[in-house]
Amino acid sequence: MNIVALSTCTPTNAYLLRSVAERHPISHVFRVAWSEPAAAPASRFAKFRKAPVASVVELASRKYLEHAHNRRERQAMNYLAHLDETVGDIPTTPVDIRQINSPAFAAELRRLNPDVLLVTAAPILKPEIFEIPRLATLNVHRGIAPAYRGERTLFWALANNDVDNIGVTLHRIDRGIDTGAVLKYGYPALASSDTEATITAKSMRLAAEMIADALDDAEQSGLQGATQPSVGRCYLAREQRIWQQARFQFLRMLGRRRIKSREQRIVTLAPSREASQPSTEQRARRPASRVSHATASV
């Protein structure tokens, strides 16, 4: 089976891809390069002139939370088996975030002829991209959808004291944000001493197992999954504030944000009739494909 991945390749996501590749070789990784449009500095200056204090506070808050998030990512690596923070020897090509939904990227993806496109921590994809793989485009979402869709959902589940919704969702990508048919839910084992970093590490280990298990019978199952029951809530990174982080830490120090202990479990969902219907483009695809190790150039 030809598996291609699209990821920001942060340390924990690189760990995830390497772990999956131990059971199911990944032929190519497109590494998302986050860049800003050329007009961004001018736009920020105009915003600063209009509201200088608010602009400085917003920028400082965003930078602090980004730094804290990246620090937790690296802390999580202390609890994972691989010390290497790269995808190893898997062929890799950087792709600018602004080009991911472009015709050029679509052409490169078609050239690699994937059966499955595995996405982890990547921007929203258009149908022109996620309908290319023969079987499915799968997303690894660090949250339990649909209750916690979007970004940094582990924090929101902890901040809301919603421990039951701490976990990982493996789902197909569709036109929404984390709304596609669900193949598996993963609930990592928890202990009262856990932190965001340890839970992240446990979640990524569990996600690697979930993906590999799903790929084991991909041809038989078609990687269809079950339609999500409701819309739920979509969280955005920009919604998080420093005071919310401080409030969570303070409440936890007071013992009002206890993490209940539980065992690890994986829930596999049976395909629903709606999710089992292939799109027109997918019906027209070839019945099989070969693994390609061609070097992409985007």
Side-chain angles (χ1 to χ4, degrees), residues 46-279:
K47 188 176 181 179
F48 173 78
R49 290 186 60 186
K50 184 177 180 179
V53 176
S55 296
V56 170
V57 171
E58 179 185 353
L59 178 61
S61 177
R62 178 164 57 85
K63 292 297 183 182
Y64 171 82
L65 290 172
E66 286 178 357
H67 175 74
H69 175 74
N70 293 334
R71 184 177 67 249
R72 282 191 297 272
E73 280 280 296
R74 295 192 175 276
Q75 288 174 344
M77 292 300 293
N78 295 327
Y79 302 94
L80 295 172
H82 298 280
L83 296 179
D84 185 7
E85 296 184 357
T86 72
V87 295
D89 59 358
I90 304 174
T92 304
T93 301
V95 54
D96 189 278
I97 184 174
R98 291 171 291 175
Q99 298 299 316
I100 285 179
N101 289 300
S102 69
F105 180 70
E108 287 297 333
L109 190 57
R110 288 194 185 92
R111 189 172 66 83
L112 291 176
N113 200 26
D115 295 302
V116 175
L117 176 61
L118 180 60
V119 177
T120 171
I124 298 172
L125 302 180
K126 292 183 178 180
E128 292 82 1
I129 302 299
F130 68 71
E131 289 184 348
I132 289 176
R134 180 174 66 89
L135 291 176
T137 295
L138 301 181
N139 182 50
V140 182
H141 172 59
R142 301 190 197 189
I144 299 299
Y148 289 88
R149 299 184 294 112
E151 303 171 291
R152 300 182 186 175
T153 46
L154 170 57
F155 166 77
W156 290 111
L158 287 170
N160 294 339
N161 204 27
D162 191 3
V163 180
D164 291 339
N165 274 316
I166 290 177
V168 185
T169 302
L170 178 64
H171 67 91
R172 295 176 66 99
I173 285 184
D174 64 5
R175 293 173 183 267
I177 300 177
D178 302 324
T179 57
V182 175
L183 281 73
K184 295 177 183 287
Y185 288 120
Y187 300 87
L190 297 178
S192 59
S193 59
D194 271 323
T195 64
E196 285 188 69
T198 62
I199 295 174
T200 295
K202 292 178 179 181
S203 296
M204 297 312 275
R205 278 198 300 265
L206 187 58
E209 180 181 345
M210 292 163 57
I211 297 166
D213 288 347
L215 293 175
D216 282 343
D217 61 352
E219 294 291 352
Q220 290 73 28
S221 70
L223 299 174
Q224 294 303 326
T227 303
Q228 294 188 35
S230 63
V231 176
R233 168 75 191 277
C234 183
Y235 293 85
L236 301 177
R238 64 173 178 266
E239 296 180 55
Q240 190 177 2
R241 298 290 185 269
I242 293 178
W243 68 264
Q244 293 167 327
Q245 185 81 30
R247 179 177 181 272
F248 166 69
Q249 296 296 342
F250 180 68
L251 290 175
R252 184 156 194 200
M253 184 178 64
L254 295 179
R256 295 176 58 184
R257 286 295 181 268
R258 297 181 185 276
I259 297 178
K260 297 180 293 184
S261 298
R262 73 179 185 198
E263 298 295 323
Q264 172 182 300
R265 64 190 177 100
I266 295 175
V267 177
T268 300
L269 275 63
S272 57
R273 178 174 298 179
E274 295 85 354
S276 299
Q277 301 303 314
S279 67

